[in-house]
Amino acid sequence: VALADGSNNITALHTTNPHFTVGDAEQLLARSVSRGATSDWWYSGGALYQVVLQPMQRRTAPPEDPQSALGFVGPHHDVPDNPQAGMVVVGREVGYAMVHEMGRMTSSKLAFSYGTDVVASTLAPLDEHELGYRVQGLTMEGLATQGLTTQGQIQIRDEPYFAISLPLTDAPAPAARLIVLKSYREAAAFLSELNRLLIGLGMLALLTGTCLAIFISDTFTRPLANLDKGMQALEHGDFNFPLEERGDDEVSRVTRAFNRMRLTLQENE
Protein backbone atom coordinates (compact mmCIF):
# COMPACT_ATOMS: atom_id res chain seq x y z
CA VAL A 1 0.00 0.00 0.00
CA ALA A 2 1.31 3.45 -0.91
CA LEU A 3 -0.02 6.96 -0.30
CA ALA A 4 1.02 9.90 -2.50
CA ASP A 5 0.33 13.62 -2.29
CA GLY A 6 -0.98 15.84 -5.05
CA SER A 7 2.48 16.02 -6.64
CA ASN A 8 2.75 12.20 -6.75
CA ASN A 9 5.37 12.16 -4.01
CA ILE A 10 5.12 9.04 -1.84
CA THR A 11 4.24 10.04 1.72
CA ALA A 12 3.73 6.51 3.10
CA LEU A 13 4.75 3.07 1.87
CA HIS A 14 3.96 -0.33 3.38
CA THR A 15 5.56 -3.39 1.75
CA THR A 16 6.98 -6.76 2.77
CA ASN A 17 9.79 -6.40 0.23
CA PRO A 18 12.72 -4.54 1.81
CA HIS A 19 14.20 -3.86 -1.66
CA PHE A 20 11.10 -1.94 -2.78
CA THR A 21 12.08 1.65 -1.98
CA VAL A 22 10.15 4.91 -1.91
CA GLY A 23 12.17 6.15 -4.89
CA ASP A 24 11.14 3.11 -6.93
CA ALA A 25 7.50 3.63 -5.99
CA GLU A 26 7.61 7.30 -7.06
CA GLN A 27 9.12 6.45 -10.46
CA LEU A 28 6.56 3.69 -11.08
CA LEU A 29 3.70 5.93 -9.96
CA ALA A 30 4.84 8.73 -12.26
CA ARG A 31 4.93 6.33 -15.20
CA SER A 32 1.44 5.00 -14.45
CA VAL A 33 -0.02 8.49 -14.00
CA SER A 34 1.57 9.71 -17.26
CA ARG A 35 -0.24 6.90 -19.08
CA GLY A 36 -3.53 7.63 -17.34
CA ALA A 37 -3.65 4.07 -16.00
CA THR A 38 -6.01 3.10 -13.18
CA SER A 39 -4.40 -0.35 -12.90
CA ASP A 40 -0.87 -1.38 -13.79
CA TRP A 41 1.99 -3.81 -13.22
CA TRP A 42 4.97 -2.62 -11.21
CA TYR A 43 8.35 -4.33 -10.98
CA SER A 44 10.76 -3.50 -8.22
CA GLY A 45 13.13 -5.31 -5.89
CA GLY A 46 12.91 -8.50 -7.97
CA ALA A 47 9.13 -8.76 -7.48
CA LEU A 48 6.17 -8.10 -9.77
CA TYR A 49 3.07 -6.36 -8.42
CA GLN A 50 -0.42 -5.93 -9.81
CA VAL A 51 -1.55 -2.52 -8.57
CA VAL A 52 -4.70 -0.43 -8.59
CA LEU A 53 -4.51 3.38 -8.44
CA GLN A 54 -7.30 5.40 -6.85
CA PRO A 55 -7.17 9.23 -6.74
CA MET A 56 -8.09 10.85 -3.43
CA GLN A 57 -10.61 13.69 -3.61
CA ARG A 58 -10.57 16.46 -1.00
CA ARG A 59 -13.16 19.15 -0.50
CA THR A 60 -12.22 22.50 0.96
CA ALA A 61 -14.48 24.04 3.61
CA PRO A 62 -16.79 26.77 2.23
CA PRO A 63 -16.17 30.31 3.47
CA GLU A 64 -18.35 31.34 6.39
CA ASP A 65 -21.40 33.30 5.32
CA PRO A 66 -21.71 36.50 7.38
CA GLN A 67 -25.47 36.17 7.28
CA SER A 68 -25.35 32.81 8.96
CA ALA A 69 -23.91 34.41 12.05
CA LEU A 70 -27.06 36.60 12.22
CA GLY A 71 -29.34 33.59 11.86
CA PHE A 72 -30.02 33.93 8.12
CA VAL A 73 -29.63 30.87 5.96
CA GLY A 74 -28.16 31.70 2.60
CA PRO A 75 -28.04 29.55 -0.56
CA HIS A 76 -25.70 26.51 -0.56
CA HIS A 77 -22.55 26.90 -2.64
CA ASP A 78 -20.74 23.78 -3.96
CA VAL A 79 -16.99 23.91 -3.65
CA PRO A 80 -15.13 22.09 -6.45
CA ASP A 81 -12.89 19.14 -5.67
CA ASN A 82 -9.14 19.57 -5.50
CA PRO A 83 -7.73 17.39 -8.32
CA GLN A 84 -4.27 17.33 -6.69
CA ALA A 85 -5.43 15.85 -3.40
CA GLY A 86 -3.36 12.66 -3.68
CA MET A 87 -3.37 8.98 -4.69
CA VAL A 88 -3.87 5.61 -3.00
CA VAL A 89 -2.06 2.64 -4.54
CA VAL A 90 -2.96 -0.93 -3.50
CA GLY A 91 -0.93 -3.82 -4.93
CA ARG A 92 -0.55 -7.58 -4.72
CA GLU A 93 2.71 -9.39 -5.31
CA VAL A 94 2.78 -12.13 -7.95
CA GLY A 95 4.47 -14.90 -5.98
CA TYR A 96 5.23 -18.54 -6.59
CA ALA A 97 2.19 -19.76 -4.62
CA MET A 98 -0.14 -17.74 -6.85
CA VAL A 99 1.56 -18.91 -10.06
CA HIS A 100 1.46 -22.58 -9.01
CA GLU A 101 -2.26 -22.29 -8.21
CA MET A 102 -2.88 -20.82 -11.67
CA GLY A 103 -0.78 -23.61 -13.21
CA ARG A 104 -2.90 -26.28 -11.53
CA MET A 105 -6.07 -24.69 -12.87
CA THR A 106 -4.75 -24.43 -16.44
CA SER A 107 -2.77 -27.71 -16.52
CA SER A 108 0.13 -25.80 -18.10
CA LYS A 109 3.50 -24.37 -17.18
CA LEU A 110 3.23 -20.64 -16.42
CA ALA A 111 5.76 -17.85 -16.02
CA PHE A 112 5.50 -14.12 -15.34
CA SER A 113 8.25 -11.98 -16.80
CA TYR A 114 9.17 -8.31 -16.78
CA GLY A 115 11.45 -7.27 -19.59
CA THR A 116 14.06 -10.03 -19.77
CA ASP A 117 13.61 -11.14 -16.14
CA VAL A 118 11.51 -14.16 -15.20
CA VAL A 119 9.82 -13.10 -11.96
CA ALA A 120 7.92 -16.28 -10.97
CA SER A 121 7.03 -19.54 -12.67
CA THR A 122 5.93 -23.13 -12.17
CA LEU A 123 9.19 -24.40 -13.67
CA ALA A 124 12.06 -25.94 -11.75
CA PRO A 125 14.79 -23.41 -10.78
CA LEU A 126 17.19 -24.56 -13.51
CA ASP A 127 14.44 -24.52 -16.15
CA GLU A 128 13.34 -21.08 -14.99
CA HIS A 129 16.89 -19.82 -15.29
CA GLU A 130 17.13 -21.14 -18.86
CA LEU A 131 13.76 -19.60 -19.75
CA GLY A 132 15.27 -16.25 -18.78
CA TYR A 133 17.70 -16.61 -21.68
CA ARG A 134 14.80 -17.25 -24.05
CA VAL A 135 12.98 -14.07 -23.11
CA GLN A 136 14.08 -11.18 -25.31
CA GLY A 137 12.11 -7.97 -24.68
CA LEU A 138 8.56 -8.46 -25.87
CA THR A 139 9.41 -11.55 -27.95
CA MET A 140 11.03 -14.88 -27.29
CA GLU A 141 13.72 -16.51 -29.37
CA GLY A 142 12.37 -18.41 -32.35
CA LEU A 143 8.76 -17.23 -31.97
CA ALA A 144 6.64 -15.77 -34.77
CA THR A 145 5.42 -12.32 -33.74
CA GLN A 146 1.72 -11.53 -34.03
CA GLY A 147 1.38 -7.96 -32.79
CA LEU A 148 2.37 -7.94 -29.16
CA THR A 149 1.33 -11.56 -28.64
CA THR A 150 3.94 -14.14 -29.61
CA GLN A 151 3.73 -17.89 -30.00
CA GLY A 152 5.86 -20.74 -31.24
CA GLN A 153 8.22 -23.47 -30.04
CA ILE A 154 11.06 -23.11 -27.57
CA GLN A 155 13.49 -25.62 -26.09
CA ILE A 156 14.23 -25.66 -22.36
CA ARG A 157 17.04 -28.13 -21.74
CA ASP A 158 15.85 -31.35 -23.42
CA GLU A 159 12.16 -30.49 -23.23
CA PRO A 160 10.36 -28.93 -26.25
CA TYR A 161 7.47 -26.60 -25.42
CA PHE A 162 4.80 -24.77 -27.37
CA ALA A 163 4.78 -21.26 -25.87
CA ILE A 164 2.44 -18.27 -25.95
CA SER A 165 3.61 -14.93 -24.55
CA LEU A 166 0.84 -12.46 -23.65
CA PRO A 167 1.42 -8.79 -22.72
CA LEU A 168 -0.33 -7.79 -19.51
CA THR A 169 -0.28 -4.06 -20.34
CA ASP A 170 -0.02 -1.88 -23.42
CA ALA A 171 2.96 -0.07 -21.94
CA PRO A 172 6.19 0.16 -23.97
CA ALA A 173 9.10 -2.08 -23.08
CA PRO A 174 9.98 -3.16 -20.50
CA ALA A 175 6.54 -4.63 -19.83
CA ALA A 176 5.01 -7.44 -17.82
CA ARG A 177 4.11 -10.58 -19.73
CA LEU A 178 2.46 -13.92 -19.01
CA ILE A 179 4.13 -16.91 -20.69
CA VAL A 180 2.13 -20.14 -21.08
CA LEU A 181 4.13 -23.29 -21.86
CA LYS A 182 2.67 -26.62 -23.00
CA SER A 183 5.02 -29.59 -23.09
CA TYR A 184 5.09 -31.52 -26.36
CA ARG A 185 5.98 -34.68 -24.46
CA GLU A 186 3.01 -34.30 -22.14
CA ALA A 187 0.75 -33.65 -25.12
CA ALA A 188 2.16 -36.73 -26.90
CA ALA A 189 1.67 -38.83 -23.76
CA PHE A 190 -1.92 -37.59 -23.49
CA LEU A 191 -2.59 -38.45 -27.16
CA SER A 192 -1.02 -41.88 -26.68
CA GLU A 193 -3.22 -42.51 -23.65
CA LEU A 194 -6.23 -41.29 -25.63
CA ASN A 195 -5.36 -43.67 -28.48
CA ARG A 196 -5.15 -46.59 -26.05
CA LEU A 197 -8.51 -45.61 -24.61
CA LEU A 198 -10.07 -45.42 -28.09
CA ILE A 199 -8.61 -48.83 -29.01
CA GLY A 200 -10.01 -50.30 -25.81
CA LEU A 201 -13.43 -48.78 -26.51
CA GLY A 202 -13.29 -50.13 -30.08
CA MET A 203 -12.51 -53.64 -28.86
CA LEU A 204 -15.30 -53.40 -26.29
CA ALA A 205 -17.73 -52.25 -29.00
CA LEU A 206 -16.61 -55.15 -31.23
CA LEU A 207 -17.09 -57.66 -28.42
CA THR A 208 -20.50 -56.21 -27.60
CA GLY A 209 -21.53 -56.37 -31.26
CA THR A 210 -20.42 -59.99 -31.50
CA CYS A 211 -22.38 -60.95 -28.39
CA LEU A 212 -25.43 -59.12 -29.72
CA ALA A 213 -25.15 -60.89 -33.07
CA ILE A 214 -24.93 -64.29 -31.32
CA PHE A 215 -27.94 -63.44 -29.17
CA ILE A 216 -30.01 -62.39 -32.21
CA SER A 217 -28.94 -65.52 -34.06
CA ASP A 218 -29.88 -67.75 -31.12
CA THR A 219 -33.20 -66.01 -30.56
CA PHE A 220 -34.52 -65.45 -34.10
CA THR A 221 -32.34 -66.64 -36.97
CA ARG A 222 -31.73 -70.27 -35.87
CA PRO A 223 -35.34 -71.04 -34.85
CA LEU A 224 -36.58 -69.62 -38.17
CA ALA A 225 -34.05 -71.74 -40.06
CA ASN A 226 -35.23 -74.87 -38.17
CA LEU A 227 -38.84 -74.01 -38.87
CA ASP A 228 -38.03 -73.69 -42.56
CA LYS A 229 -36.38 -77.13 -42.50
CA GLY A 230 -39.42 -78.57 -40.72
CA MET A 231 -41.74 -77.22 -43.43
CA GLN A 232 -39.52 -78.73 -46.13
CA ALA A 233 -39.55 -82.06 -44.29
CA LEU A 234 -43.34 -81.94 -44.01
CA GLU A 235 -43.55 -81.23 -47.72
CA HIS A 236 -41.74 -84.53 -48.33
CA GLY A 237 -44.00 -86.43 -45.92
CA ASP A 238 -41.73 -86.39 -42.87
CA PHE A 239 -43.94 -85.76 -39.84
CA ASN A 240 -41.22 -86.47 -37.25
CA PHE A 241 -38.72 -83.68 -37.96
CA PRO A 242 -37.74 -82.34 -34.50
CA LEU A 243 -38.70 -78.73 -33.76
CA GLU A 244 -37.95 -77.21 -30.34
CA GLU A 245 -40.45 -74.87 -28.73
CA ARG A 246 -38.55 -72.49 -26.46
CA GLY A 247 -39.73 -69.23 -24.99
CA ASP A 248 -42.88 -67.27 -25.66
CA ASP A 249 -41.89 -64.97 -28.49
CA GLU A 250 -43.42 -64.79 -31.95
CA VAL A 251 -41.11 -67.45 -33.43
CA SER A 252 -41.93 -69.90 -30.61
CA ARG A 253 -45.67 -69.35 -31.06
CA VAL A 254 -45.39 -69.97 -34.82
CA THR A 255 -43.37 -73.12 -34.11
CA ARG A 256 -46.03 -74.44 -31.72
CA ALA A 257 -48.78 -73.68 -34.24
CA PHE A 258 -46.81 -75.52 -36.93
CA ASN A 259 -46.37 -78.55 -34.64
CA ARG A 260 -50.12 -78.62 -33.95
CA MET A 261 -50.85 -78.42 -37.66
CA ARG A 262 -48.35 -81.19 -38.39
CA LEU A 263 -49.84 -83.38 -35.65
CA THR A 264 -53.33 -82.87 -37.07
CA LEU A 265 -52.20 -83.77 -40.56
CA GLN A 266 -50.44 -86.87 -39.21
CA GLU A 267 -53.62 -88.00 -37.41
CA ASN A 268 -55.68 -87.50 -40.59
CA GLU A 269 -53.32 -89.67 -42.64
Side-chain angles (χ1 to χ4, degrees):
V1 179
L3 298 177
D5 59 17
S7 301
N8 295 330
N9 295 317
I10 301 296
T11 58
L13 176 65
H14 175 73
T15 176
T16 57
N17 186 353
H19 302 291
F20 190 7
T21 65
V22 172
D24 293 338
E26 289 181 346
Q27 292 180 6
L28 294 168
L29 177 60
R31 191 185 70 166
S32 299
V33 171
S34 66
R35 293 173 42 241
T38 57
S39 63
D40 207 348
W41 294 82
W42 289 5
Y43 179 69
S44 178
L48 183 65
Y49 301 88
Q50 183 181 17
V51 299
V52 176
L53 294 80
Q54 179 62 50
M56 291 189 299
Q57 304 296 333
R58 181 179 59 193
R59 292 180 178 274
T60 57
E64 185 178 354
D65 190 348
Q67 295 182 352
S68 62
L70 301 176
F72 298 101
V73 179
H76 175 72
H77 298 281
D78 290 332
V79 179
D81 294 338
N82 182 359
Q84 301 295 325
M87 184 81 68
V88 178
V89 181
V90 179
R92 178 182 60 173
E93 181 179 353
V94 178
Y96 282 92
M98 172 184 170
V99 178
H100 278 276
E101 183 64 27
M102 293 176 60
R104 282 192 293 269
M105 291 188 294
T106 59
S107 300
S108 302
K109 304 291 187 182
L110 299 179
F112 284 87
S113 68
Y114 190 87
T116 59
D117 296 329
V118 176
V119 180
S121 74
T122 58
L123 298 171
L126 291 178
D127 294 343
E128 180 179 308
H129 182 70
E130 185 166 348
L131 178 62
Y133 289 107
R134 305 295 183 182
V135 178
Q136 300 293 333
L138 292 179
T139 61
M140 290 182 296
E141 181 181 352
L143 301 187
T145 303
Q146 297 179 351
L148 291 179
T149 301
T150 57
Q151 62 181 11
Q153 181 179 354
I154 62 173
Q155 187 89 10
I156 300 179
R157 291 201 292 177
D158 296 330
E159 185 78 16
Y161 289 93
F162 177 76
I164 299 178
S165 177
L166 305 170
L168 299 177
T169 66
D170 56 357
R177 302 179 73 87
L178 171 63
I179 303 171
V180 183
L181 303 170
K182 195 67 177 180
S183 171
Y184 277 102
R185 289 182 182 176
E186 292 179 2
F190 172 76
L191 291 177
S192 178
E193 183 68 24
L194 183 61
N195 286 336
R196 285 194 292 269
L197 178 62
L198 292 176
I199 292 173
L201 290 176
M203 294 180 64
L204 179 62
L206 181 62
L207 179 61
T208 303
T210 302
C211 293
L212 184 61
I214 294 173
F215 171 77
I216 293 175
S217 175
D218 239 9
T219 306
F220 299 102
T221 307
R222 189 175 300 170
L224 286 174
N226 290 335
L227 183 60
D228 180 64
K229 291 179 180 180
M231 295 178 66
Q232 292 179 12
L234 181 63
E235 184 180 356
H236 292 87
D238 184 4
F239 293 92
N240 298 316
F241 186 85
L243 288 175
E244 296 182 3
E245 302 175 5
R246 293 184 303 176
D248 194 33
D249 54 15
E250 290 81 359
V251 178
S252 298
R253 288 196 292 269
V254 172
T255 302
R256 282 192 289 269
F258 177 79
N259 281 335
R260 288 194 299 269
M261 181 190 69
R262 185 175 61 176
L263 181 60
T264 303
L265 291 174
Q266 187 177 14
E267 290 175 350
N268 291 335
E269 283 289 331

